[in-house]
Amino acid sequence: MRTLEDIQEEYEFLEGDERYRLLIELGRELEDMPQPLKTDATLVRGCSAQVWVYPTGNAENLHFLADSNAAITKGIVALVISAVQDRPAGEVAQMDVIAALEPFDLKNQLSSNRTQGVPNMIALVKQHAARIAAA
């Protein structure tokens, strides 16, 4: 998976539809999430599309599997995951993920129903991280 910094560098050179294509490409690059993990327990509430997030790894190296049934939403999921992937759980629990995503200006680049679930996804990721860090 690409780093958030690498994605941002590419994103800044693109405009309009090219940014959508990059998001779709990022979604395709997400690690496959096995179908049995796509349950009500891993479903992110409040998203216009279905989004699932499942934590793996341990406190030192938190890893997430994630998926969505919508291409652009899946790209947004990939952005969020790239911000936190393979970091220590304690760091992710304290991280300001919204600030990390600010350079992408998602609220102005995408429709509101595509971004409405982002805070819920970030909250879920941070809750998972806090739980794993405390274990």
Side-chain angles (χ1 to χ4, degrees):
M1 174 170 249
R2 302 183 211 186
T3 67
L4 194 60
E5 294 79 18
D6 288 343
I7 297 167
Q8 181 182 345
E9 189 175 303
E10 184 173 351
Y11 192 84
E12 288 173 352
F13 286 105
L14 302 175
E15 294 180 10
D17 288 347
E18 294 171 326
R19 289 182 170 181
Y20 282 116
R21 281 193 283 280
L22 175 61
L23 286 173
I24 291 168
E25 182 181 320
L26 292 172
R28 288 182 183 140
E29 292 173 6
L30 273 176
E31 187 176 345
D32 285 337
M33 183 177 190
Q35 196 64 34
L37 295 178
K38 296 176 188 176
T39 66
D40 193 56
T42 61
L43 187 66
V44 177
R45 307 283 185 247
C47 294
S48 60
Q50 290 184 304
V51 174
W52 300 271
V53 176
Y54 183 80
T56 65
N58 55 44
E60 289 81 38
N61 188 28
L62 189 57
H63 191 83
F64 289 93
L65 298 176
D67 199 1
S68 176
N69 65 342
I72 291 175
T73 302
K74 191 171 179 176
I76 296 167
V77 170
L79 272 181
V80 172
I81 296 302
S82 69
V84 300
Q85 195 73 294
D86 299 327
R87 294 180 182 265
E91 180 182 322
V92 172
Q94 300 300 316
M95 185 177 188
D96 187 348
V97 179
I98 292 174
L101 297 176
E102 278 180 8
F104 296 94
D105 194 26
L106 294 176
K107 286 186 180 184
N108 292 319
Q109 300 293 328
L110 303 169
S111 64
S112 63
N113 65 330
R114 283 211 172 105
T115 58
Q116 68 187 7
V118 172
N120 295 353
M121 185 181 357
I122 291 169
L124 184 65
V125 164
K126 289 175 65 100
Q127 288 168 4
H128 284 315
R131 183 177 41 79
I132 291 169

